[in-house]
Structures are given as C-alpha cells and as structure tokens.
Amino acid sequence: MTAHIQKVENQVIDRNEKFISTAENLKPEFVKDTVTPTNIVKIEENSAKIHGWEPKVIESADNLSSYDYGKGDEVILDFGTHLVGYLSMNIIPVGSPPDAPLHLKVTFGEMPVEMAVPFSEYNGWISSSWLQEETLHIDVMPGILELPRRYSFRYVKIEVLDTSKKYRVAFENLQCETVTSADVNRVTEIHQFDPVLDQIDKVSIKTLQDCMQEVFEDGPKRDRRLWLGDLRLQALANYETFQTNDLVKRCLYLFAGVPDNKGRISANLFIAPSLIPDDTYLFDYSLLFTTTLFDYYEATKDTNTLAELWPLAYRQVELALERLDDKGIVIDDESWWSFIDWHEDLNKQAPSQAILIYTIRRTIELAKVMNSDKQLFLEEQLQRIVKATITHLWDNDKGFFVSGAKHQVSWASQIWMAHAEVLEPDANRKLILHLLSEKPDIGLTTPYMYHYLVEALILVGEKKKAVAQLKAYWGEMIKDGADTFWELYDPDNKDFSPYGSYLINSYCHAWSCTPTYLIRKYQL
Ligand code: RAM
C-alpha cells in the first residue's frame, strides 16, 4: 500500500500578488436561507440499510419546545435534507433558576450512522477532528446558542450531559442559516422524461450548490478546501447549471497565485487566514489546472484570463514532460505522486500517461488561440508520446493498456486512455466495450472515476450504456438514501472508505456532482 501523504521540506512559493488580488476581487456573494427541522427521529439498526442504520420518525419537530431534558437525555432532529450552514437555538431553563452551567454535546451528521456510532470508535488515518461534534458549557440561561462553526449535515443530535438536580432545559427556535454562493434561480428547468435521470439531475445540482462557498469546496464536511481534480468537474457542472463562471475564474487565479518556484501548481489550497498552497503536488491534478483553463475558455471565451494564465498552464505540461523516461513513458514510483482514484492497489502509470496526452491535446488548442510558438513543439510531443504509449503500454494479446512493472490492467487505465484517444475511434470503442465485458479486478471506487467512465462511454458513441451506468451508480446511491452525492461509493462494498472508516467519508462531495453536466451537456 502506498502512503497517501506528501510533506515537502523547503517548499518555496512564488506568490503572484496581482493574480491573488484578481481572485480576491471575485469573491462571491452568499445566498442565505433559514431552515428548521422537520422531524424528531430515532436511529434504529437495520442490516438491510447502508451502514446498518435507518432513521425512524417519532413526531414532528414542531413539538420540540414542548419537551424538557435533563442529565443523560438526548434528542435527534432531522432537517429532511442536506444543509450547509450555522445552527442556532434558544435554550430555556425549566424548573428552578439554573444553579449550575448546562453541559451540552451537539453532534452533526450527514448520514444516520453519524448519529448512531460514537465518534470515539473512529481510528482511521486522517484526523478525527473532521467528525462534527462539540461539547460546550452554557452559563447564562435563558439565552441564544449560536454555534460559530459552519456545519454540513442533515441530522443533529443534542445530548444533555448535565444540568443540575434543580433544573432541566427546553430548546426553542432551533434553526440553520444555510449558506452557498450558488443561486438556484439561474438553473434552467430541463424537461427530463425519465424520472430517475430527473432525480439524479436534482441531487447533482444540490450537491454542487452545497459545495459552492467562497471557493468550489471539495466537501463542506471534509476537506472544506479547493482541490484541482474536484474543481475541474465542478466547473463543468457549473457551466450547465448555476453559470457562476466568475467563481471558476477566481479559483483558477487562486491556484495561479501560489505556484512553487518551479511553477508547479499545488493539488489543493487553503484560503484562510490567507491564501496558502498545500505542500501536496500530484501529477494528474497539476495537469488538470491546464484542462480546467481549457474548459473555462471554451465556456466563456475569456481571452484575457487565458492570456494571463497561459504561461502557467503551459508550464504544467512542460513539468509533466520532464517526468518521461527515454522511451516517452511517465516514470512510475511507490509514492503518492499521482491521484487517479482511491483504489488501494491501483498503479498510476498508464492513467497518468493518458492524462498527459489528454491535456496536451487541449493545450495545443489553447496554443492556437494564443498564437503561441509552442504549438509545434506540443504537436511533436503528442506524436512521440502517443507512439510510445502504443509501443510500450498497449498489450495486443490482452486487448488492454497495461500499467507499471507488473503490467496491471485496471479500469482507470482503459478509461483515461479512451479519453486520451490514443486509439482510432473504432478501436477506442472496442476498448471500452472490452472493458465492460472483461471487468478487470482493479475497479473504480469513486464517483470521480465513474464520471470519467460515463463520459468515455459517450465519447465512444455508447450513449445507452452511459445512461445505464449513470443510473446503476448514482441511481443506486439515491436508493441508498443520498440527498447529495457521496465522496466514495462502491456498490459492491458499501462500507468502503480509503481512510479507515466510513464515519469520516464526505457525503456531499464535489466530484460526485457531474451527472447534471452529463445529462444536460449530452442530452441524455
Ligand atoms: C480527498 C478529497 C478530495 C480529493 C483528494 C485527492 O482527500 O476527497 O476531494 O481531491 O482526496
């Protein structure tokens, strides 16, 4: 197993203040709303449900304030759908004047399991601090409790750890002020005659909406930051829905504002307290900066932005070319050098090679718009690398592209090679059909890669199969209770998490929002 962590010693950042201030000026307006819970629920064990838990309605949440609670009592509220925002409530003492502080625990969950399994059971490799719970002391009652942190949730559990023997508490006006930078009024209605696709479209849009904050976040529960692989897909979904194109522009400028001293673009950014690039650089994600700029230009024809960001976009390709060996194949290694997907045993070489080719094709198009003298060089490189790929990574007997020293055959390699259009259209179609019939063991684990599978099916002219796949995957997630689409989903292993526990998975995740793009763009 490879480690999924990078720590760069002596990272030197080449800050471009002009780009950073362009990004600052594009800070979005927020759309706010006040939402109240629908029901008081209990969470019951049911092995037929995802993670083994399901919510059962006890009564309407309108009755909440008629109850009072003492030491050891708890109440779980269901808001009926996924929300991102700030929780507040009035706390009313009942009985004698409060002669001791109230000790309260508040737990937020996107999924029923987060209400049922104590977070103390989590022992995965990423920080437990992502699990959304607070313990607080309240000295003054009656009063309003306004939690300062933004949460991502559908369920809230309130546990009274202690009051005193003389008083109990009641909760009134419990509500969430939701926040997003997406304006739903900008989304056009589509007349989808297929109810399953219609529902998938709606859940995709809600997913994107909840991830749209000051930047396109990957997940409002976790990691709450801007990742390039996620941004690329969010931006595509955005062009077909909210059309908040300035937010894409802002994110591109943020990345461009903090490359390292070699010109490498970081895989993700922190934006507070000020803009900081993470010390994680991924081969595929850096190239997706260039691809995202290409898509942005296609959607907006914003030549000024293209002209300003072109040198860095080109630089990502140049840097990727430096990783080729003498044969023209990307050098593989054991570290977390390229992301591709979360499959534990996935070899990254062939899919990374394909992403390089895919990106060069788009960079050539940008070079043409820019009238750049790099165009010829890029065309020569493309020819050389495509040839090398066929010679060294194509296995004619297997009918598949192979990856790494052990010649691994994975779904991800074939899918990305199809997008890279290394084979002629007919052979490309055969490759994808062969993939569907052979079903190699190294499968896909994220909606991120399923997106590229569905789009590859469309690319090779298999629209019907694309729709079937879309329904089988995202439709199944809805059947499993998704209000917003999840970060991880393996229909054959619904407990899957690369982090050591599904408690920490994100259940509203940017890279899962693309069905709306696929449905609308390709008129599925
Ligand atoms: C995870 C996040 C993010 C993704 C990275 C590579 O930590 O889910 O969305 O882009 O992996």
Side-chain angles (χ1 to χ4, degrees):
M1 179 188 142
T2 48
H4 300 295
I5 287 180
Q6 259 185 53
K7 265 179 144 183
V8 180
E9 306 288 337
N10 309 321
Q11 182 194 23
V12 182
I13 300 303
D14 207 351
R15 286 179 78 87
N16 183 321
E17 297 302 337
K18 188 172 166 255
F19 287 178
I20 296 172
S21 88
T22 302
E24 278 304 293
N25 292 335
L26 292 166
K27 258 195 183 164
E29 298 270 318
F30 279 95
V31 179
K32 296 182 180 174
D33 197 8
T34 302
V35 184
T36 53
T38 47
N39 289 312
I40 298 176
V41 296
K42 59 184 173 181
I43 308 294
E44 285 185 351
E45 263 188 290
N46 179 348
S47 57
K49 297 289 174 183
I50 189 126
H51 309 139
W53 299 97
E54 87 176 306
K56 283 276 166 68
V57 176
I58 301 176
E59 62 183 295
S60 163
D62 294 347
N63 302 337
L64 177 66
S65 57
S66 60
Y67 293 100
D68 52 64
Y69 302 88
K71 181 173 182 164
D73 292 340
E74 66 170 50
V75 59
I76 300 176
L77 296 153
D78 178 359
F79 279 75
T81 190
H82 189 270
L83 304 176
V84 177
Y86 298 87
L87 190 82
S88 64
M89 66 188 96
N90 295 357
I91 301 187
I92 315 291
V94 179
S96 300
D99 57 338
L102 165 66
H103 195 191
L104 206 64
K105 182 168 169 189
V106 189
T107 308
F108 296 82
E110 294 182 317
M111 295 293 283
V113 66
E114 291 162 276
M115 295 291 99
V117 175
F119 292 167
S120 53
E121 287 187 14
Y122 170 76
N123 66 351
W125 62 271
I126 54 172
S127 177
S128 60
S129 61
W130 289 116
L131 298 166
Q132 306 178 101
E133 67 180 353
E134 305 298 345
T135 309
L136 8 119
H137 289 88
I138 292 151
D139 295 298
V140 180
M141 284 166 281
I144 300 176
L145 171 65
E146 287 178 327
L147 293 179
R149 194 163 184 251
R150 199 196 71 199
Y151 294 96
S152 179
F153 64 100
R154 168 171 171 166
Y155 304 98
V156 177
K157 178 164 69 179
I158 304 175
E159 291 170 83
V160 175
L161 301 180
D162 215 343
T163 51
S164 84
K165 294 214 181 321
K166 293 186 69 178
Y167 81 101
R168 294 164 68 81
V169 281
F171 306 108
E172 278 180 5
N173 289 337
L174 190 130
Q175 61 186 48
C176 173
E177 182 179 74
T178 59
V179 284
T180 174
S181 52
D183 179 358
V184 279
N185 298 321
R186 297 183 63 116
V187 181
T188 51
E189 285 280 325
I190 48 163
H191 297 289
Q192 188 55 257
F193 296 109
D194 184 321
V196 179
L197 285 186
D198 195 35
Q199 218 190 340
I200 292 176
D201 182 59
K202 289 200 166 71
V203 176
S204 304
I205 293 171
K206 171 78 173 139
T207 307
L208 178 59
Q209 181 187 354
D210 285 3
C211 292
M212 281 171 69
Q213 301 294 329
E214 268 196 50
V215 291
F216 282 100
E217 287 184 11
D218 64 332
K221 168 182 158 187
R222 207 215 80 244
D223 305 318
R224 299 172 64 142
R225 80 181 76 128
L226 176 59
W227 280 88
L228 257 171
D230 304 72
L231 170 64
R232 199 258 159 150
L233 298 188
Q234 282 168 301
L236 289 177
N238 167 71
Y239 303 134
E240 302 299 324
T241 55
F242 300 111
Q243 297 162 57
T244 310
N245 300 351
D246 272 357
L247 191 62
V248 181
K249 181 172 170 184
R250 167 169 153 81
C251 293
L252 285 167
Y253 273 93
L254 286 171
F255 276 110
V258 282
D260 75 359
N261 56 346
K262 292 195 208 102
R264 281 195 303 176
I265 296 210
S266 170
N268 71 88
L269 303 177
F270 306 94
I271 54 161
S274 58
L275 178 62
I276 302 167
D278 193 11
D279 58 344
T280 300
Y281 295 88
L282 296 167
F283 181 90
D284 51 345
Y285 273 32
S286 296
L287 286 171
L288 290 176
F289 173 80
T290 310
T291 309
T292 308
L293 180 62
F294 169 82
D295 301 331
Y296 173 79
Y297 178 74
E298 288 288 288
T300 62
K301 301 292 172 206
D302 175 353
T303 18
N304 286 342
T305 297
L306 173 59
E308 286 206 306
L309 303 187
W310 161 253
L312 267 177
Y314 177 74
R315 182 70 186 136
Q316 303 318 299
V317 175
E318 227 175 27
L319 287 164
L321 291 172
E322 283 176 15
R323 205 185 157 102
L324 297 181
D325 64 14
D326 298 344
K327 300 196 299 263
I329 301 294
V330 285
I331 297 166
D332 191 22
D333 75 49
E334 277 297 289
S335 69
W336 196 45
W337 63 281
S338 191
F339 169 61
I340 311 293
D341 193 20
W342 273 123
H343 194 296
E344 279 306 324
D345 303 320
L346 177 66
N347 182 278
K348 313 288 172 77
Q349 185 187 46
S352 301
Q353 176 92 5
I355 290 174
L356 174 57
I357 297 169
Y358 178 83
T359 307
I360 294 178
R361 289 193 191 283
R362 281 149 187 78
T363 316
I364 291 172
E365 293 312 308
L366 294 181
K368 287 182 193 162
V369 181
M370 288 299 302
N371 244 325
S372 162
D373 58 1
K374 310 286 186 210
Q375 187 190 331
L376 191 64
F377 170 73
L378 287 166
E379 281 167 352
E380 283 163 10
Q381 291 303 310
L382 179 66
Q383 265 198 10
R384 172 175 89 99
I385 301 166
V386 167
K387 202 164 159 223
T389 305
I390 304 273
T391 312
H392 301 288
L393 300 181
W394 174 250
D395 183 324
N396 214 15
D397 297 336
K398 292 192 175 116
F400 282 129
F401 288 93
V402 294
S403 184
K406 293 189 182 145
H407 290 189
Q408 181 186 79
V409 174
S410 69
W411 282 67
S413 297
Q414 318 316 316
I415 291 166
W416 271 114
M417 285 293 180
H419 280 284
E421 298 174 272
V422 170
L423 304 175
E424 292 301 313
D426 229 29
N428 220 15
R429 182 164 160 269
K430 274 196 197 128
L431 171 68
I432 288 296
L433 295 180
H434 188 203
L435 173 68
L436 294 189
S437 64
E438 282 291 299
K439 301 184 174 49
D441 286 347
I442 307 291
L444 310 174
T445 61
T446 57
Y448 175 72
M449 267 315 299
Y450 271 91
H451 160 83
Y452 287 110
L453 168 62
V454 175
E455 205 175 26
L457 282 163
I458 296 169
L459 174 75
V460 302
E462 293 289 347
K463 246 193 185 179
K464 265 197 181 150
K465 287 195 166 56
V467 172
Q469 185 62 63
L470 197 68
K471 288 184 177 174
Y473 190 70
W474 280 272
E476 195 64 19
M477 237 191 279
I478 291 180
K479 282 192 207 148
D480 276 329
D483 303 306
T484 47
F485 288 125
W486 306 337
E487 174 190 17
L488 287 315
Y489 188 63
D490 180 350
D492 299 325
N493 172 16
K494 293 182 180 176
D495 288 350
F496 174 72
S497 171
Y499 313 118
S501 163
Y502 46 70
L503 276 177
I504 207 116
N505 288 1
S506 152
Y507 293 93
C508 172
H509 213 72
W511 66 24
S512 316
C513 76
T514 58
T516 186
Y517 157 77
L518 296 164
I519 291 168
R520 287 165 185 252
K521 165 110 186 167
Y522 299 106
Q523 288 153 17
L524 298 184

